Amino acid sequence: MANQVIKCKAAVAWEAGKPLSIEEIEVAPPKAHEVRIKIIATAVCHTDAYTLSGADPEGSFPVILGHEGAGIVESVGEGVTKLKADKRITQGKGLMPDGTSRFTCKGKTILHYMGTSTFSEYTVVADISVAKIDPLAPLDKVCLLGCGISTGYGAAVNTAKVEPGSTCAVFGLGGVGLAVIMGCKVAGASRIIGVDINKDKFARAKEFGASECVNPQDFSKPIQEVLIEMTDGGVDYSFECIGNVKVMRAALEACHKGWGVSVVVGVAASGEEIATRPFQLVTGRTWKGTAFGGWKSVESIPKLVSEYMSKKIKVDEFVTHNLPFDQINEAFELMHAGKSIRTIVKF
């Protein structure tokens, strides 16, 4: 099938705000420096939901979403040397580098997403976007290292560079927040405080390494004031994992004056600006943003897979649900309802 068009199932987002539609699509063979991959498993991420909602200014339709996926190389285009058929991989404008798409459905061109489009049984990606991993790694687990876990874990160990014995606060205890907690623990933090308005998430956060958890709704004063009192002046590091501008400000203010560092991991979807610059100059607190946790994805993912295989980092524990591909819309429903951390969808 290497030089032939493949017909397969895919979840197509025809328009914003509508459920995905399971369709038969055509996937063209890879061109020069491209790789066609059979996706084995993919996860559903808030980034996919953000684009599907129509709020993403860069979102275009119709498109095949998905960017936390793992699979096996089916065929390679001319000039691809680092990969060959049957290699197991995992991957992190809507068009391929040559400005065209490899997907069609019902006679219409379907766009790619983040260079990956893992909500398709087969996908085509640029060879520079493919990370070759340990052949023994379970693909239905390590697909999660394509985005959320790596971002949260890296925010702690790469972006903030959490030091041993430090105090940390993590705002938002979803998948990314749990990964931040894991990173803080690996880095040797002595106290990790989880912050969330959903107390049902507290037990899992403690399993990942949180020392204690607090619900802002339990207090009459702002949560940053509560944390400053709890820590005798503020935390050394805070992490905002929600994407809420007001929470970003609270996370910054919860840091200790003079040396505290606040990392924004969540993407603000509201379009508001966070006015931190004058504030951080006055107080000595530092505000940082992070992209993919500071990792270089193609180089770093094989290392993260190795850390998972050696049990240095958790991955299995993030999986709360497994669903067949035909039920991918249910994965979005579980996420929106706050009932899942990560749902794995298998073909």
Side-chain angles (χ1 to χ4, degrees), residues 216-238:
Q217 295 177 340
D218 291 341
F219 304 92
S220 58
K221 62 179 69 174
I223 190 62
Q224 54 267 45
E225 293 182 19
V226 173
L227 291 169
I228 288 170
E229 289 180 4
M230 288 175 64
T231 56
D232 193 26
V235 298
D236 300 309
Y237 304 94
S238 71

PDB file of all heavy atoms in Angstrom, residues 216-238:
ATOM      1  N   PRO A 216     -10.560  27.112  46.851  1.00  0.00           N
ATOM      2  CA  PRO A 216     -10.756  28.558  47.048  1.00  0.00           C
ATOM      3  C   PRO A 216     -12.142  28.931  47.543  1.00  0.00           C
ATOM      4  O   PRO A 216     -12.315  29.945  48.225  1.00  0.00           O
ATOM      5  CB  PRO A 216     -10.497  29.140  45.650  1.00  0.00           C
ATOM      6  CG  PRO A 216      -9.608  28.145  44.989  1.00  0.00           C
ATOM      7  CD  PRO A 216     -10.057  26.814  45.500  1.00  0.00           C
ATOM      8  N   GLN A 217     -13.134  28.091  47.238  1.00  0.00           N
ATOM      9  CA  GLN A 217     -14.507  28.389  47.644  1.00  0.00           C
ATOM     10  C   GLN A 217     -14.744  28.175  49.138  1.00  0.00           C
ATOM     11  O   GLN A 217     -15.779  28.569  49.666  1.00  0.00           O
ATOM     12  CB  GLN A 217     -15.483  27.535  46.823  1.00  0.00           C
ATOM     13  CG  GLN A 217     -15.458  27.873  45.338  1.00  0.00           C
ATOM     14  CD  GLN A 217     -16.373  26.989  44.520  1.00  0.00           C
ATOM     15  OE1 GLN A 217     -16.760  25.902  44.952  1.00  0.00           O
ATOM     16  NE2 GLN A 217     -16.734  27.446  43.325  1.00  0.00           N
ATOM     17  N   ASP A 218     -13.768  27.572  49.820  1.00  0.00           N
ATOM     18  CA  ASP A 218     -13.889  27.343  51.259  1.00  0.00           C
ATOM     19  C   ASP A 218     -13.440  28.545  52.082  1.00  0.00           C
ATOM     20  O   ASP A 218     -13.497  28.513  53.312  1.00  0.00           O
ATOM     21  CB  ASP A 218     -13.070  26.119  51.681  1.00  0.00           C
ATOM     22  CG  ASP A 218     -13.662  24.816  51.157  1.00  0.00           C
ATOM     23  OD1 ASP A 218     -14.851  24.815  50.792  1.00  0.00           O
ATOM     24  OD2 ASP A 218     -12.929  23.812  51.120  1.00  0.00           O
ATOM     25  N   PHE A 219     -12.971  29.597  51.418  1.00  0.00           N
ATOM     26  CA  PHE A 219     -12.419  30.747  52.127  1.00  0.00           C
ATOM     27  C   PHE A 219     -13.127  32.040  51.722  1.00  0.00           C
ATOM     28  O   PHE A 219     -13.578  32.174  50.582  1.00  0.00           O
ATOM     29  CB  PHE A 219     -10.919  30.884  51.832  1.00  0.00           C
ATOM     30  CG  PHE A 219     -10.120  29.654  52.165  1.00  0.00           C
ATOM     31  CD1 PHE A 219      -9.888  28.671  51.203  1.00  0.00           C
ATOM     32  CD2 PHE A 219      -9.617  29.460  53.435  1.00  0.00           C
ATOM     33  CE1 PHE A 219      -9.165  27.530  51.504  1.00  0.00           C
ATOM     34  CE2 PHE A 219      -8.882  28.317  53.748  1.00  0.00           C
ATOM     35  CZ  PHE A 219      -8.671  27.348  52.779  1.00  0.00           C
ATOM     36  N   SER A 220     -13.199  32.973  52.658  1.00  0.00           N
ATOM     37  CA  SER A 220     -13.827  34.270  52.369  1.00  0.00           C
ATOM     38  C   SER A 220     -12.834  35.254  51.772  1.00  0.00           C
ATOM     39  O   SER A 220     -13.224  36.265  51.203  1.00  0.00           O
ATOM     40  CB  SER A 220     -14.417  34.859  53.663  1.00  0.00           C
ATOM     41  OG  SER A 220     -13.401  34.997  54.647  1.00  0.00           O
ATOM     42  N   LYS A 221     -11.554  34.956  51.887  1.00  0.00           N
ATOM     43  CA  LYS A 221     -10.519  35.846  51.349  1.00  0.00           C
ATOM     44  C   LYS A 221      -9.937  35.248  50.060  1.00  0.00           C
ATOM     45  O   LYS A 221     -10.089  34.041  49.812  1.00  0.00           O
ATOM     46  CB  LYS A 221      -9.413  36.067  52.380  1.00  0.00           C
ATOM     47  CG  LYS A 221      -8.659  34.816  52.779  1.00  0.00           C
ATOM     48  CD  LYS A 221      -7.555  35.111  53.802  1.00  0.00           C
ATOM     49  CE  LYS A 221      -8.135  35.503  55.141  1.00  0.00           C
ATOM     50  NZ  LYS A 221      -7.084  35.658  56.177  1.00  0.00           N
ATOM     51  N   PRO A 222      -9.285  36.055  49.240  1.00  0.00           N
ATOM     52  CA  PRO A 222      -8.680  35.548  48.001  1.00  0.00           C
ATOM     53  C   PRO A 222      -7.694  34.415  48.285  1.00  0.00           C
ATOM     54  O   PRO A 222      -6.979  34.434  49.297  1.00  0.00           O
ATOM     55  CB  PRO A 222      -7.963  36.769  47.430  1.00  0.00           C
ATOM     56  CG  PRO A 222      -8.695  37.940  47.990  1.00  0.00           C
ATOM     57  CD  PRO A 222      -9.113  37.520  49.371  1.00  0.00           C
ATOM     58  N   ILE A 223      -7.640  33.450  47.382  1.00  0.00           N
ATOM     59  CA  ILE A 223      -6.822  32.257  47.595  1.00  0.00           C
ATOM     60  C   ILE A 223      -5.344  32.600  47.714  1.00  0.00           C
ATOM     61  O   ILE A 223      -4.601  31.936  48.454  1.00  0.00           O
ATOM     62  CB  ILE A 223      -7.059  31.217  46.475  1.00  0.00           C
ATOM     63  CG1 ILE A 223      -6.391  29.881  46.826  1.00  0.00           C
ATOM     64  CG2 ILE A 223      -6.584  31.740  45.129  1.00  0.00           C
ATOM     65  CD1 ILE A 223      -6.917  29.220  48.070  1.00  0.00           C
ATOM     66  N   GLN A 224      -4.893  33.669  47.040  1.00  0.00           N
ATOM     67  CA  GLN A 224      -3.483  34.031  47.162  1.00  0.00           C
ATOM     68  C   GLN A 224      -3.136  34.455  48.583  1.00  0.00           C
ATOM     69  O   GLN A 224      -2.045  34.156  49.085  1.00  0.00           O
ATOM     70  CB  GLN A 224      -3.096  35.123  46.161  1.00  0.00           C
ATOM     71  CG  GLN A 224      -3.921  36.376  46.167  1.00  0.00           C
ATOM     72  CD  GLN A 224      -5.054  36.330  45.168  1.00  0.00           C
ATOM     73  OE1 GLN A 224      -5.753  35.315  45.076  1.00  0.00           O
ATOM     74  NE2 GLN A 224      -5.236  37.417  44.412  1.00  0.00           N
ATOM     75  N   GLU A 225      -4.071  35.131  49.255  1.00  0.00           N
ATOM     76  CA  GLU A 225      -3.837  35.515  50.649  1.00  0.00           C
ATOM     77  C   GLU A 225      -3.797  34.291  51.556  1.00  0.00           C
ATOM     78  O   GLU A 225      -3.007  34.217  52.505  1.00  0.00           O
ATOM     79  CB  GLU A 225      -4.927  36.486  51.113  1.00  0.00           C
ATOM     80  CG  GLU A 225      -4.895  37.846  50.415  1.00  0.00           C
ATOM     81  CD  GLU A 225      -5.963  38.786  50.938  1.00  0.00           C
ATOM     82  OE1 GLU A 225      -6.475  38.540  52.052  1.00  0.00           O
ATOM     83  OE2 GLU A 225      -6.290  39.756  50.227  1.00  0.00           O
ATOM     84  N   VAL A 226      -4.655  33.320  51.256  1.00  0.00           N
ATOM     85  CA  VAL A 226      -4.667  32.070  52.021  1.00  0.00           C
ATOM     86  C   VAL A 226      -3.317  31.363  51.896  1.00  0.00           C
ATOM     87  O   VAL A 226      -2.728  30.914  52.889  1.00  0.00           O
ATOM     88  CB  VAL A 226      -5.799  31.143  51.523  1.00  0.00           C
ATOM     89  CG1 VAL A 226      -5.713  29.770  52.209  1.00  0.00           C
ATOM     90  CG2 VAL A 226      -7.159  31.780  51.760  1.00  0.00           C
ATOM     91  N   LEU A 227      -2.805  31.283  50.667  1.00  0.00           N
ATOM     92  CA  LEU A 227      -1.538  30.591  50.432  1.00  0.00           C
ATOM     93  C   LEU A 227      -0.373  31.326  51.068  1.00  0.00           C
ATOM     94  O   LEU A 227       0.559  30.697  51.592  1.00  0.00           O
ATOM     95  CB  LEU A 227      -1.308  30.435  48.914  1.00  0.00           C
ATOM     96  CG  LEU A 227      -2.255  29.460  48.215  1.00  0.00           C
ATOM     97  CD1 LEU A 227      -2.125  29.578  46.706  1.00  0.00           C
ATOM     98  CD2 LEU A 227      -1.983  28.021  48.658  1.00  0.00           C
ATOM     99  N   ILE A 228      -0.413  32.658  51.044  1.00  0.00           N
ATOM    100  CA  ILE A 228       0.650  33.438  51.682  1.00  0.00           C
ATOM    101  C   ILE A 228       0.687  33.160  53.184  1.00  0.00           C
ATOM    102  O   ILE A 228       1.755  32.990  53.777  1.00  0.00           O
ATOM    103  CB  ILE A 228       0.449  34.947  51.399  1.00  0.00           C
ATOM    104  CG1 ILE A 228       0.792  35.244  49.927  1.00  0.00           C
ATOM    105  CG2 ILE A 228       1.318  35.801  52.314  1.00  0.00           C
ATOM    106  CD1 ILE A 228       0.410  36.640  49.470  1.00  0.00           C
ATOM    107  N   GLU A 229      -0.510  33.052  53.791  1.00  0.00           N
ATOM    108  CA  GLU A 229      -0.570  32.732  55.223  1.00  0.00           C
ATOM    109  C   GLU A 229      -0.098  31.299  55.488  1.00  0.00           C
ATOM    110  O   GLU A 229       0.620  31.034  56.468  1.00  0.00           O
ATOM    111  CB  GLU A 229      -1.997  32.922  55.733  1.00  0.00           C
ATOM    112  CG  GLU A 229      -2.441  34.379  55.810  1.00  0.00           C
ATOM    113  CD  GLU A 229      -3.866  34.524  56.325  1.00  0.00           C
ATOM    114  OE1 GLU A 229      -4.465  33.483  56.692  1.00  0.00           O
ATOM    115  OE2 GLU A 229      -4.373  35.655  56.355  1.00  0.00           O
ATOM    116  N   MET A 230      -0.500  30.376  54.634  1.00  0.00           N
ATOM    117  CA  MET A 230      -0.135  28.970  54.818  1.00  0.00           C
ATOM    118  C   MET A 230       1.372  28.750  54.727  1.00  0.00           C
ATOM    119  O   MET A 230       1.917  27.828  55.358  1.00  0.00           O
ATOM    120  CB  MET A 230      -0.831  28.096  53.763  1.00  0.00           C
ATOM    121  CG  MET A 230      -2.321  27.904  53.939  1.00  0.00           C
ATOM    122  SD  MET A 230      -3.043  26.985  52.543  1.00  0.00           S
ATOM    123  CE  MET A 230      -2.228  25.396  52.705  1.00  0.00           C
ATOM    124  N   THR A 231       2.029  29.587  53.935  1.00  0.00           N
ATOM    125  CA  THR A 231       3.451  29.361  53.642  1.00  0.00           C
ATOM    126  C   THR A 231       4.364  30.423  54.244  1.00  0.00           C
ATOM    127  O   THR A 231       5.542  30.494  53.883  1.00  0.00           O
ATOM    128  CB  THR A 231       3.659  29.310  52.120  1.00  0.00           C
ATOM    129  OG1 THR A 231       3.159  30.534  51.545  1.00  0.00           O
ATOM    130  CG2 THR A 231       2.916  28.131  51.506  1.00  0.00           C
ATOM    131  N   ASP A 232       3.804  31.249  55.114  1.00  0.00           N
ATOM    132  CA  ASP A 232       4.587  32.285  55.785  1.00  0.00           C
ATOM    133  C   ASP A 232       5.289  33.208  54.792  1.00  0.00           C
ATOM    134  O   ASP A 232       6.506  33.390  54.826  1.00  0.00           O
ATOM    135  CB  ASP A 232       5.624  31.640  56.731  1.00  0.00           C
ATOM    136  CG  ASP A 232       6.246  32.663  57.680  1.00  0.00           C
ATOM    137  OD1 ASP A 232       5.588  33.680  57.970  1.00  0.00           O
ATOM    138  OD2 ASP A 232       7.391  32.443  58.112  1.00  0.00           O
ATOM    139  N   GLY A 233       4.487  33.769  53.879  1.00  0.00           N
ATOM    140  CA  GLY A 233       5.037  34.753  52.947  1.00  0.00           C
ATOM    141  C   GLY A 233       4.846  34.442  51.480  1.00  0.00           C
ATOM    142  O   GLY A 233       5.088  35.294  50.628  1.00  0.00           O
ATOM    143  N   GLY A 234       4.418  33.246  51.161  1.00  0.00           N
ATOM    144  CA  GLY A 234       4.187  32.888  49.766  1.00  0.00           C
ATOM    145  C   GLY A 234       5.018  31.695  49.334  1.00  0.00           C
ATOM    146  O   GLY A 234       6.010  31.316  49.974  1.00  0.00           O
ATOM    147  N   VAL A 235       4.622  31.078  48.227  1.00  0.00           N
ATOM    148  CA  VAL A 235       5.313  29.888  47.725  1.00  0.00           C
ATOM    149  C   VAL A 235       6.524  30.287  46.892  1.00  0.00           C
ATOM    150  O   VAL A 235       6.628  31.418  46.403  1.00  0.00           O
ATOM    151  CB  VAL A 235       4.365  29.010  46.879  1.00  0.00           C
ATOM    152  CG1 VAL A 235       3.207  28.507  47.726  1.00  0.00           C
ATOM    153  CG2 VAL A 235       3.838  29.765  45.649  1.00  0.00           C
ATOM    154  N   ASP A 236       7.442  29.355  46.735  1.00  0.00           N
ATOM    155  CA  ASP A 236       8.618  29.600  45.897  1.00  0.00           C
ATOM    156  C   ASP A 236       8.249  29.516  44.410  1.00  0.00           C
ATOM    157  O   ASP A 236       8.795  30.257  43.584  1.00  0.00           O
ATOM    158  CB  ASP A 236       9.705  28.569  46.208  1.00  0.00           C
ATOM    159  CG  ASP A 236      10.145  28.627  47.658  1.00  0.00           C
ATOM    160  OD1 ASP A 236      10.467  29.718  48.142  1.00  0.00           O
ATOM    161  OD2 ASP A 236      10.145  27.556  48.321  1.00  0.00           O
ATOM    162  N   TYR A 237       7.330  28.605  44.097  1.00  0.00           N
ATOM    163  CA  TYR A 237       6.909  28.410  42.710  1.00  0.00           C
ATOM    164  C   TYR A 237       5.399  28.194  42.662  1.00  0.00           C
ATOM    165  O   TYR A 237       4.844  27.456  43.469  1.00  0.00           O
ATOM    166  CB  TYR A 237       7.581  27.178  42.087  1.00  0.00           C
ATOM    167  CG  TYR A 237       9.085  27.189  42.136  1.00  0.00           C
ATOM    168  CD1 TYR A 237       9.765  26.567  43.188  1.00  0.00           C
ATOM    169  CD2 TYR A 237       9.837  27.796  41.139  1.00  0.00           C
ATOM    170  CE1 TYR A 237      11.145  26.565  43.253  1.00  0.00           C
ATOM    171  CE2 TYR A 237      11.226  27.801  41.178  1.00  0.00           C
ATOM    172  CZ  TYR A 237      11.876  27.188  42.240  1.00  0.00           C
ATOM    173  OH  TYR A 237      13.244  27.191  42.299  1.00  0.00           O
ATOM    174  N   SER A 238       4.741  28.847  41.705  1.00  0.00           N
ATOM    175  CA  SER A 238       3.318  28.579  41.467  1.00  0.00           C
ATOM    176  C   SER A 238       3.114  28.280  39.996  1.00  0.00           C
ATOM    177  O   SER A 238       3.882  28.732  39.139  1.00  0.00           O
ATOM    178  CB  SER A 238       2.444  29.755  41.904  1.00  0.00           C
ATOM    179  OG  SER A 238       2.605  30.862  41.036  1.00  0.00           O
TER     180      SER A 238
END
